[in-house]
Amino acid sequence: MNAELPVRVVVFASEQLFPALQFLLHAADRFDAALASIHIFHTDDARRSAEPAQRLKDVMQRWGGRQGLDFEIQLTKGGMWPAGVRAVMLDCLEASPSSRWLVNVTGGTKPMSAAATELALAAGLESRRVLYQEIDGRWVELVTGEDGLLDAVPLQPGVDEAVPPADTLERLLPVEELVAAQFSAEHRISTQSLNAFPVDEAVRELIARRWSWAASLDALDPPVRCSGNGDAFERFVGSGLLDSGLRFAHSLKVWDRGPGGKVVREVDLVGCHRGRLVCIDIKLPGAADEQKGTQLADVAELAHSLGGRGALPVALRPGWPQDEGTERLARALGVCLLTQAQAGRLFSAILERIDSGMRPGEAARRAEELLLAHQGQGNTVLSSGRVMEAGMRPERDFLKLTREMERISEQRGEPWVLVELIETEFLIGVRRKALRVTDEKALHKLEAQLHRRLDALSDGRYQFRFQSFPAWIHIQFFPRPGVKVGAITACLRELLG
């Protein structure tokens, strides 16, 4: 390819705008003043082609202006079938034959891509390349083989000058501009910045203050001021991701440009990684824990409307227990669902879905160690313990504690549950059918050991109650002063598993 020739780039506009935008931004960044023109072809379909083409042009004009570049941008309307593509594209190519033509046939319909490939390879151009990006991100160059038939040659990002590096979008464009390009010209986008703080220190405060989010972050040095618990939780998650090397913005809002200027869409945390928009929806326990299917569908739809079909929706719900049916629905919708089961590995779980090669930063790693240790003592994390089934309404006159204890036992895979009742009074429930021993004699021996060991930990000033029922063993007692919860759970795990 003659490096002295001007560079001219061709893309085809479609609803999924990020691939074309990535290619154009890279071309402008890589070839700089050598980029002479950008040619965006579209059909007369307003929503799926013409409007995305105009938004592509607007973004590139603004970006080029900020960089002091002076390339031409042409919008060209043509048909969606081969004859319509050839009619307009041939004029474009023949007008500047002595150029380096880079024709990206990723966008548009399949007939449009086929026609553009055929024409570009057959035209008598001094220098031309036809490029295509697979849905998994791989790039190939389409060429005419020795047998005269079409062939594909793999290309390497960072090696081939025409191929965008994976971080092109997040490196060259703020996330609000990315979302604006994909969403609509009739709306404006706003975000709030995120500042990193020591999330491991925050976890220590959160455990001490029983997951009072705003108060815990306010107690840090320096304090992190938040408008409420939800805002504090969102900033905590965002800070851990920043510490792990990701770029995220907080509280992205989509505003209607019409009278009144209302917010029509909102997402708690949003970022872009390797050309993929990541939208994280966060809810504290008790905040609309019902209608889980509707929530997951809404999270998926919101992410895809802001970042195209390749966007990653993440739903963080530490108040939801692990449930196979809900998880199957989340997978079907393409939503990364994180419940109490993943709460101890919060940052690792998110990173694994975004980029399997990433690991939590130092502060995030230490925070997870604290969360897992606290969880290992039988506690819930990221919440005050209100992990509640949809069927358990707090407005009811009573709580079926045994049913809830059975659910928690099954969720954690342990035959026992430790419940703090009032002040320092504890209740231990042991599910008989979940015990490892089934022989009647062995069961009696196990009960005697359990009675003896827990009685030794109890405060003799108060009654120690050990009750054996057909399905459960219930132990109700006050630990003696100085006995920590960890000693009780260690005893239970030693005897019961």
Side-chain angles (χ1 to χ4, degrees):
M1 183 177 284
N2 188 343
E4 296 180 0
L5 295 176
V7 177
R8 302 185 188 278
V9 179
V10 173
V11 295
F12 292 83
S14 61
E15 242 181 327
Q16 305 306 311
L17 187 138
F18 280 14
L21 180 57
Q22 178 191 46
F23 188 74
L24 295 179
L25 283 169
H26 168 68
D29 182 56
R30 171 65 178 81
F31 298 108
D32 198 53
L35 178 63
S37 60
I38 290 172
H39 303 265
I40 304 172
F41 289 86
H42 64 89
T43 69
D44 58 4
D45 186 323
R47 183 177 65 85
R48 291 185 292 185
S49 188
E51 289 176 4
Q54 183 62 53
R55 296 199 298 272
L56 275 174
K57 179 180 179 180
D58 293 343
V59 172
M60 292 308 301
Q61 280 183 329
R62 288 193 298 269
W63 191 88
R66 291 197 295 265
Q67 307 303 315
L69 299 177
D70 187 27
F71 45 76
E72 178 187 5
I73 304 178
Q74 290 185 3
L75 295 184
T76 303
K77 184 174 74 172
M80 63 177 293
W81 300 109
V85 174
R86 286 194 296 266
V88 294
M89 188 172 169
L90 186 59
D91 290 340
C92 173
L93 298 177
E94 288 183 340
S96 305
S98 296
S99 301
R100 285 185 283 169
W101 283 98
L102 300 176
V103 182
N104 184 345
V105 296
T106 306
T109 63
K110 288 182 174 63
M112 293 171 70
S113 298
T117 301
E118 178 186 53
L119 181 61
L121 293 178
L125 301 173
E126 187 170 339
S127 174
R128 50 89 182 108
R129 298 182 69 186
V130 181
L131 307 163
Y132 177 79
Q133 185 182 22
E134 288 279 2
I135 194 169
D136 62 4
R138 291 179 297 169
W139 284 87
V140 296
E141 181 175 358
L142 300 175
V143 299
T144 303
E146 293 181 0
D147 55 3
L149 300 177
L150 189 66
D151 201 358
V153 178
L155 302 176
Q156 292 297 322
V159 176
D160 192 292
E161 65 175 359
V163 178
D167 68 345
T168 296
L169 286 179
E170 58 263 35
R171 180 169 49 86
L172 297 180
L173 210 61
V175 69
E176 54 266 29
E177 287 195 51
L178 280 174
V179 172
Q182 176 65 44
F183 192 72
S184 165
E186 296 182 305
H187 298 82
R188 66 179 180 88
I189 310 297
S190 69
T191 61
Q192 296 179 13
S193 62
L194 277 172
N195 295 316
F197 55 83
V199 288
D200 52 338
E201 294 298 326
V203 169
R204 291 188 177 91
E205 291 290 343
L206 286 159
I207 292 173
R209 297 170 187 271
R210 299 198 175 195
W211 310 102
S212 178
W213 286 90
S216 297
L217 266 59
D218 190 56
L220 295 175
D221 185 18
V224 178
R225 309 295 186 191
C226 303
S227 61
N229 286 329
D231 179 60
F233 188 18
E234 294 161 13
R235 292 183 181 278
F236 169 82
V237 177
S239 179
L241 296 176
L242 288 177
D243 177 65
S244 303
L246 292 174
R247 303 175 187 177
F248 269 80
H250 180 224
S251 187
L252 182 142
K253 292 182 173 67
V254 179
W255 301 78
D256 185 5
R257 291 188 184 274
K262 296 180 180 179
V263 175
V264 294
R265 306 306 303 264
E266 184 172 2
V267 63
D268 300 318
L269 294 173
V270 63
C272 184
H273 182 70
R274 300 178 69 85
R276 186 187 200 189
L277 199 74
V278 181
C279 298
I280 304 180
D281 185 78
I282 301 171
K283 281 186 171 56
L284 283 170
D289 278 349
E290 301 173 26
Q291 299 179 328
K292 295 176 181 177
T294 301
Q295 286 191 46
L296 294 175
D298 287 347
V299 171
E301 190 278 328
L302 175 60
H304 296 151
S305 69
L306 298 179
R309 301 306 301 176
L312 173 64
V314 179
L316 177 53
R317 300 292 190 272
W320 290 9
Q322 189 173 22
D323 177 75
E324 290 184 4
T326 305
E327 290 173 356
R328 279 195 297 271
L329 177 59
R331 287 194 296 271
L333 293 169
V335 176
C336 171
L337 173 62
L338 305 176
T339 64
Q340 183 60 212
Q342 295 83 31
R345 298 181 63 254
L346 169 67
F347 302 115
S348 295
I350 295 176
L351 291 171
E352 285 166 5
R353 285 299 302 271
I354 295 175
D355 185 339
S356 60
M358 298 192 73
R359 297 292 181 268
E362 282 302 307
R365 182 185 57 77
R366 290 193 297 269
E368 287 189 344
E369 290 174 354
L370 293 168
L371 291 171
L372 288 169
H374 194 61
Q375 205 172 39
Q377 295 174 354
N379 303 298
T380 57
V381 295
L382 306 183
S383 77
S384 57
R386 291 182 296 142
V387 181
M388 193 173 295
E389 289 284 359
M392 288 178 53
R393 305 290 194 270
E395 63 268 18
R396 285 185 176 174
D397 294 332
F398 66 96
L399 172 66
K400 292 185 178 180
L401 184 58
T402 301
R403 180 183 299 174
E404 180 66 3
M405 289 167 64
E406 182 174 9
R407 182 188 61 76
I408 294 172
S409 170
E410 290 177 349
Q411 174 187 323
R412 292 173 50 226
E414 293 178 308
W416 55 271
V417 176
L418 178 64
V419 179
E420 184 178 12
L421 298 175
I422 302 171
E423 296 295 335
T424 58
E425 184 180 10
F426 286 86
L427 169 67
I428 297 171
V430 181
R431 295 169 59 222
R432 286 185 176 276
K433 66 178 182 180
L435 291 171
R436 291 174 297 185
V437 294
T438 55
D439 176 76
E440 195 67 27
K441 185 176 180 181
L443 281 172
H444 284 306
K445 181 178 179 181
L446 181 62
E447 283 188 33
Q449 289 177 316
L450 189 61
H451 188 293
R452 184 175 63 256
R453 292 283 297 276
L454 291 174
D455 190 22
L457 297 175
S458 69
D459 190 335
R461 295 174 298 172
Y462 304 98
Q463 184 180 10
F464 176 83
R465 300 180 63 187
F466 191 104
Q467 297 174 290
S468 185
F469 300 102
W472 286 85
I473 302 170
H474 283 179
I475 306 107
Q476 195 169 337
F477 71 109
F478 289 84
R480 70 172 185 266
V483 173
K484 298 185 180 298
V485 171
I488 302 172
T489 58
C491 172
L492 293 172
R493 286 198 174 95
E494 178 188 342
L495 294 177
L496 306 176

